[in-house]
Amino acid sequence: MAIKAEYIWIDGTEPTARLRSKTKVLADDASTAVADLPIWGFDGSSTNQAPGDNSDCVLKPVAVFADPIRGGDDVLVMCEVLLIDMTPHPTNHRAACAAVAEKFASMEPLFGIEQEYTFFQDGRPLGFPVGGFPAPQGFYYCGVGADEVFGREVVEAHMEACLEAGIGISGINAEVMPGQWEFQVGPLGPLEVSDQLWVSRWLLYRIAEEFGISATVEPKPVKGDWNGAGAHTNFSTKAMREGYDPIIAACEALGTKADEHVANYGHGIEDRLTGSHETAPWTEYSYGVSNRGASVRIPWQVAQDKKGYIEDRRPNANMDPYTVTRLIVDTVCSAAL
Ligand code: ADP
Ligand code: MN
Ligand code: MN
Ligand code: MN
């Protein structure tokens, strides 16, 4: 049987890039190892990545996963976008991440990313009544029961699909607003966690499609007294996993570049990091043990064990993990040199 390879890439939509994909049929005996998969092209004028009179962009495979939807030998192929001279396209943020990951590989950085998102159907969040609002937040987070939980069948199918694909998903939970959920990917290195987060987002959209539901990483999907959606980014280096001084040094280092980080943690971050709804205001950097109102949290257990990891709570749900992990590795590891 011929092999279907779904080539997935990140487009040039502004201010927040979107996922695109198309299928390449390969010979039944084709190798699907990443190095053997052919480069491919697409019409960049339809994705905000090229002008119409010079529209070709290149897709270069960077990571391959089993396709849990089609099954068999079919694969999902995460790609990076190149110009036709084979240099990174301006919308390709993976290349810069790869350079920083390589530079600091000896410090063994690891990330676990908590991806929050919201289901929508018929123009409103799943679980919201027509023309109104559900009961206020309070019972939805990690809730159970048809009055509290909306979309679990999609969440279960998505988790199963991630596991079958070989993605390092580490958990799921219902979130504070109805129709809002979270899954976590990691701990993994910067490039691995980023490739896998993008593919797990693609799987989320693709699987929700089967249910007639859409999922969005919009950071503030409902205005007013409803939690936004973030992508808490948990981080450690080998030294942080072994001692407490490097944990504090990492928190301090992040404080020296707070503006640069916040500016690159996802469009619309000012609307989410207001200082309410378990966030710190985007204008003020802070860190603290157990503090869900701080920019960066040192988990209680980490303070107890005197080693472990830190949680950067600032990234938006719509952040680009290639950019966020690159900045964190660069800032923390440069300061540790
Ligand atoms: P929260 O309590 O903030 O909801 P979660 O359990 O949702 O935290 O997510 C924590 C994430 O941190 C998980 O993805 C987990 O794999 C990851 N993690 C655990 N240990 C480390 C570590 N040493 N370095 C980086 N990430 C880690
Ligand atoms: Mn979490
Ligand atoms: Mn959460
Ligand atoms: Mn968290």
Side-chain angles (χ1 to χ4, degrees):
M1 265 257 286
I3 295 169
K4 297 182 219 83
E6 191 72 11
Y7 277 52
I8 300 169
W9 76 96
I10 299 159
D11 77 2
T13 303
E14 288 176 357
T16 301
R18 305 182 73 87
L19 283 162
R20 309 271 179 153
S21 74
K22 58 177 185 167
T23 309
K24 189 173 192 60
V25 176
L26 305 171
D28 40 8
D29 59 351
S31 161
T32 53
V34 70
D36 296 334
L37 283 163
I39 61 167
W40 202 14
F42 68 96
D43 167 16
S45 72
S46 297
T47 62
N48 201 32
Q49 282 165 306
D53 59 358
N54 190 9
S55 67
D56 287 324
C57 292
V58 175
L59 291 176
K60 183 184 173 221
V62 292
V64 185
F65 304 89
D67 183 340
I69 297 170
R70 290 178 171 142
D73 292 331
D74 296 342
V75 286
L76 303 177
V77 183
M78 187 65 204
C79 298
E80 65 177 341
V81 177
L82 304 180
L83 299 167
I84 51 174
D85 66 1
M86 299 297 147
T87 59
H89 189 277
T91 61
N92 174 345
H93 302 300
R94 188 182 193 275
C97 181
V100 168
E102 192 184 324
K103 181 174 175 192
F104 294 109
S106 65
M107 296 191 192
E108 299 178 29
L110 288 179
F111 288 90
I113 299 179
E114 306 169 49
Q115 176 69 64
E116 296 181 340
Y117 62 93
T118 311
F119 287 132
F120 271 78
Q121 199 172 37
D122 302 325
R124 56 182 191 277
L126 201 64
F128 275 52
V130 184
F133 290 93
Q137 293 180 166
F139 301 110
Y140 306 112
Y141 171 75
C142 296
V144 61
D147 54 339
E148 292 179 357
V149 161
F150 308 91
R152 197 191 293 276
E153 61 284 12
V154 190
V155 173
E156 291 287 326
H158 174 250
M159 178 164 53
E160 196 59 41
C162 286
L163 290 169
E164 278 177 41
I167 286 169
I169 188 168
S170 48
I172 58 116
N173 60 270
E175 269 301 336
V176 174
M177 188 182 90
Q180 201 174 57
W181 292 83
E182 169 181 316
F183 64 87
Q184 304 100 31
V185 176
L188 289 162
L191 276 180
E192 291 74 22
V193 82
S194 300
D195 291 339
Q196 294 187 25
L197 190 70
W198 276 111
V199 173
S200 60
R201 284 175 179 173
W202 186 89
L203 277 169
L204 177 67
Y205 305 144
R206 177 65 188 82
I207 282 164
E209 183 185 313
E210 303 281 310
F211 292 83
I213 290 172
S214 64
T216 176
V217 292
E218 175 63 42
K220 198 73 190 176
V222 183
K223 309 290 170 228
D225 207 11
W226 302 91
N227 273 40
H232 297 166
T233 300
N234 300 274
F235 169 72
S236 64
T237 58
K238 185 166 187 286
M240 292 162 70
R241 292 188 291 276
E242 291 172 352
Y244 204 61
D245 288 349
I247 297 263
I248 299 300
C251 293
E252 291 287 338
L254 289 171
T256 66
K257 299 223 170 143
D259 292 346
E260 187 190 351
H261 280 245
V262 164
N264 289 286
Y265 276 9
H267 181 74
I269 200 160
E270 310 84 352
D271 298 332
R272 180 177 142 264
L273 297 186
T274 56
S276 327
H277 304 112
E278 303 173 55
T279 68
W282 66 277
T283 46
E284 285 167 42
Y285 177 82
S286 59
Y287 69 89
V289 174
S290 275
N291 189 354
R292 285 187 158 71
S295 314
V296 171
R297 177 176 67 106
I298 300 171
W300 168 82
Q301 189 74 50
V302 172
Q304 186 83 4
D305 297 347
K306 293 279 176 270
K307 60 180 180 180
Y309 64 98
I310 58 173
E311 176 192 46
D312 191 338
R313 300 176 56 80
R314 296 170 295 172
N316 265 0
N318 63 351
M319 59 82 142
D320 180 345
Y322 294 126
T323 299
V324 170
T325 61
R326 169 179 62 80
L327 284 168
I328 293 176
V329 170
D330 206 12
T331 298
V332 172
C333 295
S334 298
L337 281 180

